[in-house]
Amino acid sequence: MLKGLDVDVLKIIQEIIKIKKPAKNAVIVVDDIKTLIEPKKQDVPVEQKCTVLNDPTPNVTSAEGVEGYIALFRSRFEKTMRILAQRPDSKRISKVSAVKQRVKMNKQIERGEKNLHGAGNSIIIAGLLMSKRIKKNDVELTIDDYTGVLSAVSTAEDVKKQASTLALDQMVMLELENNKGRPGLTIKSIIMPDIPDHLPNKSKSEAYAVLISDLHVGSKYFMKNEFLKFLDWLSSSSPEDEIVKKIKFLCVGGDLIDGIGIFPNQDKELLEIDAAKQMSHAAQLLAKIPKHIKVLVIPGNHDLGRRALPQPAIPRKTLTEQFYGLENCTMLGNPAFVELNGVKVLMYHGQGLDDIIATTPGLSYSKPAEAMKVLLKARHLAPIYGERTPIAPEQEDMMVITEVPDIFHSGHVHVADVQNYRSTLVVNSGAWQSQTKFQQTMGIMPTPGIAVVVNLATLQPIVYDFNQ
Ligand code: D5M
Ligand code: FE
Ligand code: ZN
């Protein structure tokens, strides 16, 4: 390994002996040599380039009534179709009307005497999932693609398993074949829109982004001491702490305050019964963040402003003026798509996760990153309509995950969880609020007081715990 390198071999051996000698039976490993021969990183300037790629704030129109929802779903269908069009199997997509026509015209297909396209061929349809009926022995899925509605069944275990992870109202592709010897069509496979395995964008210099969410300032359970410890750390300049100096960005994923009247009897759990005071307190805390760190803030369901998704930025009013006065702070809508030193970050508070966790077998509040993966697979941040997540009747569906993020940052669940999915770093950034009565009744065990720090040059996450 040392051959051919411009290094003083003898000096390196002496150095290794010096390091290893104190330990009994020490073994010299490749990494020991690597750390000695690798050139010391020069103090290259760490870049800080932030671009907002997408912010719903100026686009939120809030069309009213059923008409609005028709347009919303149509937009979901069309935007996701454009995503699917980039895949080779999309060439085989047939319209539901055409499939029905063929089935009708050729009764032999229904009798299973002929295949849909001739021998051995299957057919693919793509549309919004209108219904999902999973029974002990089979599953029936109904798809709407705006040319018609089609139901298909399967008894195969793998298809049933895949079907269980589908969210209602999401876009999906079904590969169909004719049902051997019986009428109707069988689902051969389910194809999710999904994200491709990709080469993520990385920062050229070693800059760090800190991901946090769910402060809940104003709540009795807001962990002020731990949060102040975190803020102190951001301002610290210990020579041993190589990372803190290189923190260039701080992403705040919503629920800055606990708000008022968000859930019944909330006032009993509040320290400050005034949203203005809560906001002002939150702004005072964020004002302690060193000014060389760029702060990006999106709202959550507890913040001021509209509740339905997509949420515009926390409105600029007298109460929130202090936020807008912070020169290093940018207020964005929820969801927001930003680029930090070239790394694409999708910031989303995470309201839609409640419905995903409630309806997907095997998911729980203890593993929010798993639920976030379901959203990436559906290429939608809140697919399920009409349950817990309020969705606004916009003309355009701004919750479609149009571009593949390098980092997907959410909060809302109050449990810190980090995973890698197809080279996207999936982060739920936990909370700064200890367990509330509501969470206790729901069996949610939060992991508060944690900040997830990401090296933007490698996308490696580091979890910092401020509970000690
Ligand atoms: O959410 C705090 C916690 O409560 C988080 O784990 C999600 C859960 N939660 C919030 N709203 C709901 C609904 N509607 N159903 C089930 N679980 C929920 P926070 O937004 O901070 O109140
Ligand atoms: Fe929260
Ligand atoms: Zn929330």
Side-chain angles (χ1 to χ4, degrees):
M1 163 172 198
L2 298 174
K3 223 167 96 184
L5 283 174
D6 184 17
V7 290
D8 184 342
V9 177
L10 195 66
K11 206 170 146 213
I12 285 178
I13 293 170
Q14 282 168 347
E15 196 68 27
I16 291 179
I17 293 170
K18 201 165 89 192
I19 297 166
K20 291 282 170 175
K21 218 175 173 183
K24 259 190 197 166
N25 306 325
V27 178
I28 298 168
V29 294
V30 174
D31 277 349
D32 294 324
I33 305 169
K34 266 194 190 159
T35 40
L36 287 170
I37 61 168
E38 261 174 16
K40 285 264 170 290
K41 281 193 191 98
Q42 299 297 315
D43 274 342
V44 283
V46 181
E47 53 175 336
Q48 183 180 43
K49 192 166 181 289
C50 171
T51 317
V52 177
L53 300 175
N54 214 339
D55 175 13
T57 311
N59 305 324
V60 165
T61 51
S62 194
E64 290 298 328
V66 179
E67 290 258 315
Y69 286 105
I70 291 171
L72 179 84
F73 281 105
R74 184 90 205 196
S75 164
R76 177 179 303 187
F77 175 79
E78 276 161 13
K79 282 177 90 169
T80 324
M81 267 309 222
R82 283 198 285 276
I83 297 170
L84 297 177
Q86 294 162 13
R87 297 163 48 146
D89 36 12
S90 71
K91 307 248 177 327
R92 290 176 52 213
I93 295 176
S94 299
K95 289 194 170 87
V96 163
S97 58
V99 175
K100 283 182 142 178
Q101 193 69 20
R102 235 172 287 160
V103 170
K104 215 195 243 164
M105 276 164 53
N106 194 347
K107 287 287 172 196
Q108 283 173 301
I109 292 174
E110 287 205 14
R111 289 200 297 272
E113 289 161 14
K114 238 185 196 174
N115 283 317
L116 285 167
H117 272 178
N121 271 339
S122 62
I123 207 163
I124 293 180
I125 57 164
L128 298 169
L129 181 64
M130 292 293 103
S131 84
K132 174 170 101 168
R133 201 182 44 83
I134 302 177
K135 286 207 263 177
K136 199 160 170 281
N137 295 322
D138 64 359
V139 58
E140 184 189 57
L141 300 177
T142 306
I143 298 291
D144 185 348
D145 77 348
Y146 291 94
T147 70
V149 178
L150 188 82
S151 296
V153 290
S154 176
T155 51
E157 276 311 311
D158 54 335
V159 173
K160 273 168 70 187
K161 205 169 154 211
Q162 257 190 312
S164 72
T165 68
L166 284 173
L168 225 49
D169 307 320
Q170 80 160 83
M171 193 69 176
V172 66
M173 291 200 276
L174 299 182
E175 187 184 15
L176 305 174
E177 58 188 354
N178 62 314
N179 204 340
K180 289 172 197 77
R182 285 190 287 135
L185 294 164
T186 302
I187 307 162
K188 194 175 173 196
S189 69
I190 296 172
I191 310 156
M192 304 274 185
D194 216 332
I195 56 163
D197 205 350
H198 60 289
L199 212 59
N201 299 293
K202 289 176 183 170
S203 168
K204 287 189 184 69
S205 53
E206 197 181 298
Y208 288 82
V210 182
L211 313 181
I212 61 164
S213 61
D214 298 84
L215 278 59
H216 290 264
V217 172
S219 159
K220 272 185 191 168
Y221 304 99
F222 168 50
M223 291 165 54
K224 191 168 184 177
N225 291 339
E226 287 77 2
F227 195 67
L228 286 172
K229 219 191 280 178
F230 164 69
L231 293 173
D232 275 350
W233 173 69
L234 287 181
S235 305
S236 65
S237 56
S238 151
E240 288 100 72
D241 196 335
E242 282 290 322
I243 290 172
V244 75
K245 284 185 279 191
K246 295 178 190 163
I247 293 173
K248 294 288 166 188
F249 309 99
L250 172 63
C251 299
V252 187
D255 280 1
L256 281 92
I257 60 168
D258 209 48
I260 311 282
I262 308 291
F263 53 83
N265 294 321
Q266 188 194 9
D267 50 343
K268 294 195 187 77
E269 303 195 357
L270 292 176
L271 270 187
E272 287 161 322
I273 324 227
D274 178 344
K277 286 208 180 114
Q278 295 180 2
M279 266 293 167
S280 154
H281 188 174
Q284 280 163 26
L285 289 166
L286 295 200
K288 291 181 195 289
I289 298 164
K291 295 292 176 272
H292 68 268
I293 299 178
K294 175 101 196 121
V295 185
L296 301 159
V297 177
I298 64 163
N301 51 315
H302 283 253
D303 294 309
L304 292 167
R306 137 167 146 176
R307 286 282 289 277
L309 292 169
Q311 294 179 284
I314 294 172
R316 186 172 192 159
K317 288 191 203 148
T318 348
L319 332 169
T320 56
E321 195 54 46
Q322 278 169 287
F323 275 109
Y324 284 87
L326 299 172
E327 76 253 30
N328 58 335
C329 200
T330 303
M331 307 294 274
L332 299 169
N334 170 37
F337 198 45
V338 296
E339 204 178 78
L340 308 178
N341 288 1
V343 178
K344 290 181 173 150
V345 185
L346 177 57
M347 294 176 71
Y348 169 48
H349 177 61
Q351 292 93 320
L353 294 170
D354 289 326
D355 288 323
I356 296 292
I357 292 169
T359 59
T360 315
L363 289 187
S364 77
Y365 278 106
S366 62
K367 283 261 160 237
E370 280 298 327
M372 289 169 73
K373 273 163 56 179
V374 172
L375 299 182
L376 288 176
K377 285 182 195 173
R379 293 293 286 255
H380 201 279
L381 294 168
I384 302 167
Y385 172 73
E387 295 293 329
R388 294 159 190 80
T389 315
I391 297 166
E394 294 290 340
Q395 295 289 309
E396 185 197 336
D397 191 341
M398 290 172 250
M399 307 307 286
V400 174
I401 306 173
T402 312
E403 263 201 76
V404 179
D406 301 310
I407 300 176
F408 178 23
H409 171 207
S410 281
H412 185 59
V413 175
H414 294 208
V415 174
D417 194 16
V418 183
Q419 267 203 41
N420 191 295
Y421 178 65
R422 306 194 123 193
S423 301
T424 291
L425 184 69
V426 178
V427 178
N428 199 292
S429 53
W432 297 85
Q433 183 191 40
S434 56
Q435 194 187 43
T436 65
K437 295 243 158 65
F438 169 73
Q439 289 161 12
Q440 204 176 5
T441 55
M442 293 283 296
I444 296 167
M445 286 296 291
T447 62
I450 284 173
V452 179
V453 182
V454 182
N455 181 346
L456 295 176
T458 60
L459 297 194
Q460 284 303 312
I462 313 162
V463 172
Y464 278 76
D465 189 341
F466 292 88
N467 287 289
Q468 285 89 31

